[in-house]
Amino acid sequence: MEGYEISPVKAHVGGRNVVFNCEKEGVDAKIIRIAFLNDRSREDFLGEVEYIRYLFEHGGSVSDVVSSRKGKLLEEITHQNHTLFVCLFEKARGKMLVENNYRYREGVPITEYYYNCGKVLGKLHQVSKGYTPVHSRYSFFDKYNAEYIDKLIPDSLSLLKEKLVELLETLEGMDRNRESFGMVHFDYSDGNYMIDFDTGQITVFDFDNSCFCWYMYDLANLWTHGVGWIQFEPDVGKRKKFMEDYFEAVLSGYKSETGIENSMLDKLPLFIIATLMENIIDEFEIMRNKGEEPECDEELSYRIKCLEDDIPYMGFFHEIYSCEEPFEYEERIRLKE
């Protein structure tokens, strides 16, 4: 990395890595990622970088991993008996949507973006269907299971625990054939890809949460991020119509690269609940990792309420939803009396 100007990338809440921008004139920029928490194993990291390399080599639009001088995708550094895992990536071309103030390409309809989101994801899933790992990542149920939920979530939220276990039992009964279940990104959203605003091309990064799961999970996650485009609209009918059109454009792009059965698409509401579960568990993990007493703010209270009361589609079409304070519940859920 001689001659590169190296600067830190600002961390986000709950971040598990230290990340650096590496720039040098006349050379494509790179990203260094240093994982410092002991929450992942060497096998996890090898599984991640091998999967990224496989996607890249088979035409997936992802930031490729750069091999070290020793020809490794993953390097380890031990400092004071603590192991750091280091990876280098090509920096994705373009900007994040937020860096462009959520404006899309000048003179191009936003539906192109929705279509491309689906198309790029469809290609990743199509490539994944032929993937057999050397170093395997974990599977969905390795992390999301009744034992872990019981340990992580306070006993005062007994109804939430019950609903989460019911959800897991439903998912456990679902088919896991090669066409419906395989390696997924698990956090496919506009925070984890760049857009080349000259061409509209999307390049995906941050496979930190990638695991074996249903492909439908990534599509449901894309649905949940689509609500941001219409979340301040007071008319529920208009919100519904927008989401139908948005997801139709996403699926059109997705199906241009890979197939998906209607029986899986019918499970969209179920997988939206699964994304809510992931959000809730992530919040409690962040509190635990910071050593904080668990507490629920308005956003977490909203998610919990949707799950406890069986409110579909993140409550987006329900009376619980407020366009003035999107996805917030007016009363914080109390964990202790």
Side-chain angles (χ1 to χ4, degrees):
M1 302 303 293
E2 278 177 30
Y4 279 84
E5 191 177 314
I6 298 177
S7 58
V9 174
K10 190 180 176 187
H12 61 82
V13 175
R16 303 150 80 201
N17 309 296
V18 179
V19 181
F20 296 90
N21 238 327
C22 312
E23 298 191 347
K24 185 178 179 179
E25 204 170 322
V27 181
D28 288 340
K30 309 282 190 289
I31 294 285
I32 291 178
R33 185 189 74 185
I34 303 173
F36 61 92
L37 295 178
N38 60 1
D39 61 341
R40 290 153 291 171
S41 68
R42 181 174 180 272
E43 190 82 3
D44 279 336
F45 288 111
L46 284 172
E48 177 195 354
V49 292
E50 285 177 9
Y51 175 54
I52 294 168
R53 174 58 60 84
Y54 182 88
L55 290 173
F56 181 80
E57 287 178 344
H58 290 78
S61 187
V62 300
S63 292
D64 192 20
V65 196
V66 180
S67 300
S68 71
R69 282 180 174 176
K70 295 175 187 172
K72 295 180 179 179
L73 300 181
L74 178 72
E75 285 287 349
E76 297 172 48
I77 298 169
T78 303
H79 177 69
Q80 295 179 351
N81 297 321
H82 188 82
T83 302
L84 305 171
F85 291 97
V86 187
C87 303
L88 185 68
F89 300 92
E90 296 287 354
K91 187 174 182 181
R93 191 183 298 275
K95 284 182 180 178
M96 288 164 80
L97 204 52
V98 65
E99 292 171 331
N100 211 45
N101 299 313
Y102 286 97
R103 290 194 313 272
Y104 192 53
R105 306 203 298 137
E106 198 75 35
V108 178
I110 190 72
T111 47
E112 178 194 87
Y113 167 64
Y114 306 152
Y115 179 90
N116 285 349
C117 282
K119 185 177 178 65
V120 168
L121 182 62
K123 178 67 175 180
L124 298 188
H125 287 176
Q126 180 59 32
V127 173
S128 285
K129 289 172 186 179
Y131 179 59
T132 304
V134 177
H135 295 86
S136 190
R137 292 281 289 178
Y138 60 88
S139 189
F140 177 84
F141 293 108
D142 293 335
K143 175 170 181 179
Y144 300 97
N145 54 65
E147 188 183 342
Y148 183 61
I149 284 166
D150 190 49
K151 204 187 317 180
L152 181 69
I153 292 176
D155 290 338
S156 53
L157 294 173
S158 57
L159 179 57
L160 173 64
K161 286 186 179 188
E162 193 181 302
K163 292 291 183 180
L164 290 176
V165 170
E166 278 177 20
L167 170 64
L168 290 172
E169 285 171 354
T170 303
L171 290 170
E172 276 174 353
M174 286 184 59
D175 196 6
R176 289 178 230 178
N177 63 54
R178 207 172 180 90
E179 284 299 306
S180 64
F181 192 95
M183 276 289 280
V184 303
H185 187 282
F186 209 71
D187 194 11
Y188 186 75
S189 66
D190 60 55
N192 287 329
Y193 49 70
M194 296 287 195
I195 303 166
D196 183 334
F197 285 94
D198 292 331
T199 64
Q201 181 60 44
I202 290 170
T203 306
V204 189
F205 54 86
D206 195 356
F207 285 79
D208 217 4
N209 294 318
S210 57
C211 64
F212 284 91
C213 184
W214 289 272
Y215 297 119
M216 195 63 210
Y217 181 93
D218 276 351
L219 277 168
N221 206 40
L222 205 44
W223 187 96
T224 68
H225 283 85
V227 300
W229 295 102
I230 195 77
Q231 63 183 350
F232 299 114
E233 170 56 57
D235 186 327
V236 66
K238 288 180 181 174
R239 292 202 301 271
K240 267 185 183 165
K241 178 73 172 74
F242 174 86
M243 290 307 294
E244 283 169 10
D245 293 346
Y246 161 78
F247 203 58
E248 190 179 316
V250 165
L251 284 177
S252 181
Y254 186 84
K255 288 175 177 177
S256 73
E257 294 289 347
T258 195
I260 185 163
E261 292 180 358
N262 286 334
S263 59
M264 286 306 297
L265 290 174
D266 291 343
K267 297 281 192 298
L268 175 64
L270 177 71
F271 281 97
I272 290 171
I273 299 169
T275 68
L276 269 182
M277 175 186 72
E278 188 279 331
N279 290 162
I280 290 166
I281 286 175
D282 187 56
E283 287 289 332
F284 280 105
E285 284 176 339
I286 290 169
M287 287 182 256
R288 180 197 61 193
N289 293 340
K290 285 174 155 183
E292 295 175 351
E293 278 292 313
E295 65 169 339
C296 297
D297 61 13
E298 286 84 356
E299 287 184 24
L300 181 54
S301 297
Y302 180 92
R303 292 176 190 140
I304 290 171
K305 194 73 180 156
C306 286
L307 257 161
E308 288 184 339
D309 292 3
D310 298 319
I311 302 170
Y313 295 104
M314 293 167 55
F316 199 44
F317 312 128
H318 188 272
E319 60 189 21
I320 191 176
Y321 184 78
S322 162
C323 61
E324 283 89 23
E325 294 177 324
F327 306 105
E328 291 186 10
Y329 191 56
E330 56 197 31
E331 295 175 42
R332 288 185 177 216
I333 289 174
R334 291 162 66 177
L335 300 183
K336 290 180 181 175
E337 287 303 324

